[in-house]
Amino acid sequence: MIARNVKIPQVIIKICLVCLVFSAAVTHTLALPRENHPIRESVDWRTLNAYQHTLTESMFRERLKIFSPDDSIYQLMTFHEDHSMSLYETPTKEVFLWRLYFLPPDTRAENVPQKPKISADRMAAYFGASWEKPLRGLTIGIDPGHIGGEWANIEERYFKYGSHPPVQEGDLTWITAQHLAVKLEAAGAKTVFTRTEGEPATSFRPEDFNVQAMEWAAEGTRYFTSRYYSFRYRWYREFLFYRVAEVVARAHRLHREQPDFTLCIHYNAAPWSGRRPRLFNVKKLVAFVHGSYLKEELESPTQKYELFQKLFAHVSPVEIEIADAVTREMQAVMKMKPENYGDWSAAHRVNDNPYIWSRNVIANRLFPGPVIFAEGAYMNDYDTFYRIQAGDYEGLKKIRGKEYPSLFREFADAMAGGLIKHYRKKRQLHPPHESP
């Protein structure tokens, strides 16, 4: 859920944005911190030397477009006549980080090094796909966004409207993820979850970050009251738990399983003023693929490192084609309008599908391989809210004068349906009664 359940003062919003940028800068992608130490502030650029002489300069520049649409990354680079590029920490180019050597510009496409070959067992599974099992051979990661349960309030993924039971995003994503897994497995896929019901993936808890939170809260607080310092301390402590340690732990689970791609499931909410939540008539959908690093994010060595890990993994084409398949089906089934971020520098359109935007989301960055981050169904939309209150059920139920299926099953069915249609077409599969 991107929107908050209250309207936060501007000064706190600015602090939160700084924290978001910093939290993203203290974790790695493939060189993740140890699970027993989720905060790490350095990278070893030598680990990227495996990618020397694997791309031409033109291929490299083409891949960079989605990660730095405003070309700010080029302020940190110097290109040399020997077909290489030097990367620096800041635009002043005083601190050298790494040098990348390109293939000669006249290298033919067939001579460009390819990804490691798929194992014989995996290849057999791919070829075993059928109309009924179009996802056979695929391992799909499922990330039920947030935690829910007793942690929902700490995560700021909780609201209560009137006398109705509270809405907790982590609980909704878990139910949806369960239904999605059933659909994907029935279509032949293996699924991997990043967490279990209502429980954090990390063994850390907020109190494990007392020292770090005190240090961060004390920075620049000479003009703040002791009450405001206490707020900052508590906020940082909880943030390090649910946003940093939790995402790192989930990333470790996925790195052990190496899924072909991961689907991150989220619900959204429209912002409101004041303390009391409001309901609106608003239904919107967005899917984020990885990219759109802000200029200030690129000043962090870890952010740059993570960018290059994703660039060399060449995740963008897969992310975009899957996001396209999923959002088109979700729109057709759930009738949601696309989000429109306009001139927001943190998000950019990637093709003619108005539902897909590139954005630098921590999960997309830390999880291995292609990652598709779906934000759908505004929880404080009138229809959606009452469908949530109706719970999970089979068949149809009349809600506000109209019959609806379970919201969670509809969400999961639409995501799975988009993937199934996509892979049937991609793998050129045909119903049993039809010949190719």
Side-chain angles (χ1 to χ4, degrees):
M1 181 174 75
I2 297 175
R4 293 287 183 254
N5 58 350
V6 294
K7 188 171 183 179
I8 306 174
Q10 287 297 313
V11 64
I12 299 179
I13 291 176
K14 291 179 180 178
I15 292 171
C16 293
L17 289 173
V18 170
C19 294
L20 284 167
V21 172
F22 185 82
S23 73
V26 296
T27 49
H28 286 202
T29 304
L30 297 181
L32 285 168
R34 299 188 307 275
E35 290 181 85
N36 62 350
H37 190 277
I39 301 176
R40 183 173 175 177
E41 300 180 36
S42 63
V43 297
D44 184 355
W45 287 94
R46 293 172 297 179
T47 60
L48 295 181
N49 285 335
Y51 302 108
Q52 301 290 2
H53 304 289
T54 59
L55 295 173
T56 63
E57 183 180 329
S58 62
M59 293 174 182
F60 175 77
R61 289 177 180 270
E62 182 63 28
R63 291 189 187 184
L64 268 179
K65 289 179 181 179
I66 194 169
F67 297 103
S68 184
D70 63 358
D71 291 338
S72 57
I73 186 69
Y74 287 101
Q75 298 177 23
L76 309 174
M77 299 175 175
T78 297
F79 290 83
H80 307 287
E81 293 183 358
D82 64 348
H83 309 306
S84 69
M85 177 277 296
S86 294
L87 182 68
Y88 298 88
E89 187 170 308
T90 66
T92 62
K93 299 182 178 180
E94 295 174 355
V95 180
F96 171 81
L97 295 176
W98 181 59
R99 189 158 183 166
L100 171 66
Y101 289 90
F102 300 114
L103 289 167
D106 58 350
T107 303
R108 296 172 62 89
E110 59 266 28
N111 295 328
V112 173
Q114 301 298 311
K115 295 179 181 179
K117 293 183 177 180
I118 300 174
S119 68
D121 289 343
R122 194 74 171 270
M123 185 62 74
Y126 279 121
F127 282 113
S130 64
W131 181 262
E132 294 80 8
K133 303 287 185 181
L135 306 183
R136 181 166 288 172
L138 292 174
T139 297
I140 301 175
I142 299 179
D143 179 49
H146 311 294
I147 305 169
E150 64 179 289
W151 308 102
N153 230 334
I154 287 179
E155 305 179 279
E156 301 174 344
R157 296 306 188 269
Y158 167 105
F159 74 87
K160 192 175 189 311
Y161 180 74
S163 60
H164 297 282
V167 174
Q168 301 184 159
E169 187 181 359
D171 298 342
L172 311 186
T173 62
W174 175 254
I175 299 171
T176 306
Q178 293 291 105
H179 287 301
L180 178 61
V182 170
K183 291 289 183 178
L184 298 180
E185 289 171 6
K190 172 186 175 183
T191 60
V192 178
F193 278 78
T194 59
R195 70 169 173 93
T196 54
E197 183 177 6
E199 292 297 324
T202 179
S203 60
F204 286 90
R205 294 297 180 265
E207 55 269 22
D208 293 314
F209 301 101
N210 288 343
V211 174
Q212 183 71 69
M214 284 190 290
E215 291 178 2
W216 289 5
E219 293 178 5
T221 57
R222 57 179 177 171
Y223 301 113
F224 296 158
T225 64
S226 59
R227 183 177 179 181
Y228 190 47
Y229 169 83
S230 297
F231 164 80
R232 282 165 56 95
Y233 161 69
R234 185 177 67 255
W235 194 92
Y236 281 124
R237 191 178 83 146
E238 293 171 352
F239 186 87
L240 285 167
F241 155 67
Y242 75 79
R243 185 61 61 85
V244 180
E246 177 66 11
V247 176
V248 169
R250 295 185 187 203
H252 274 286
R253 289 190 179 187
L254 293 173
H255 275 275
R256 286 193 291 269
E257 298 291 340
Q258 289 295 311
D260 291 275
F261 58 87
T262 297
L263 301 171
C264 298
I265 303 171
H266 288 256
Y267 285 76
N268 213 331
W272 58 80
S273 301
R275 291 182 175 275
R276 292 185 178 180
R278 289 183 56 200
L279 301 186
F280 302 85
N281 286 310
V282 57
K283 295 179 177 68
K284 291 185 178 181
L285 166 68
V286 65
F288 293 119
V289 297
H290 193 47
S292 295
Y293 283 65
L294 296 171
K295 181 178 180 181
E296 54 268 30
E297 292 171 338
L298 290 170
E299 292 177 359
S300 162
T302 49
Q303 292 263 20
K304 287 193 286 288
Y305 180 87
E306 291 157 358
L307 182 158
F308 283 106
Q309 289 280 19
K310 287 291 185 177
L311 181 147
F312 289 120
H314 202 27
V315 299
S316 301
V318 176
E319 289 183 346
I320 292 171
E321 70 176 31
I322 292 176
D324 185 77
V326 167
T327 55
R328 290 187 188 280
E329 185 70 9
M330 290 182 72
Q331 190 280 330
V333 172
M334 304 180 76
K335 310 301 182 187
M336 293 183 284
K337 295 180 179 180
E339 291 281 5
N340 186 0
Y341 295 110
D343 297 326
W344 188 32
S345 59
H348 293 81
R349 292 272 301 275
V350 300
N351 59 15
D352 61 353
N353 184 331
Y355 293 88
I356 307 175
W357 294 74
S358 63
R359 189 177 174 211
N360 185 10
V361 179
I362 187 171
N364 292 54
R365 206 169 53 249
L366 296 187
F367 293 174
V371 181
I372 298 85
F373 189 106
E375 287 261 13
Y378 273 54
M379 296 178 287
N380 58 342
D381 165 71
Y382 276 104
D383 290 336
T384 302
F385 175 79
Y386 286 105
R387 291 179 71 183
I388 290 171
Q389 295 302 315
D392 185 29
Y393 52 87
E394 295 182 359
L396 300 175
K397 184 179 288 189
K398 184 169 286 188
I399 300 170
R400 301 186 75 221
K402 183 180 177 180
E403 289 192 329
Y404 289 100
S406 158
L407 173 66
F408 317 108
R409 296 175 190 230
E410 184 179 65
F411 195 150
D413 288 352
M415 290 194 81
L419 283 172
I420 289 169
K421 287 181 180 179
H422 172 68
Y423 277 95
R424 280 175 175 167
K425 182 177 180 180
K426 185 181 180 73
R427 294 178 167 182
Q428 299 181 357
L429 303 174
H430 300 273
H433 61 277
E434 290 185 10
S435 58

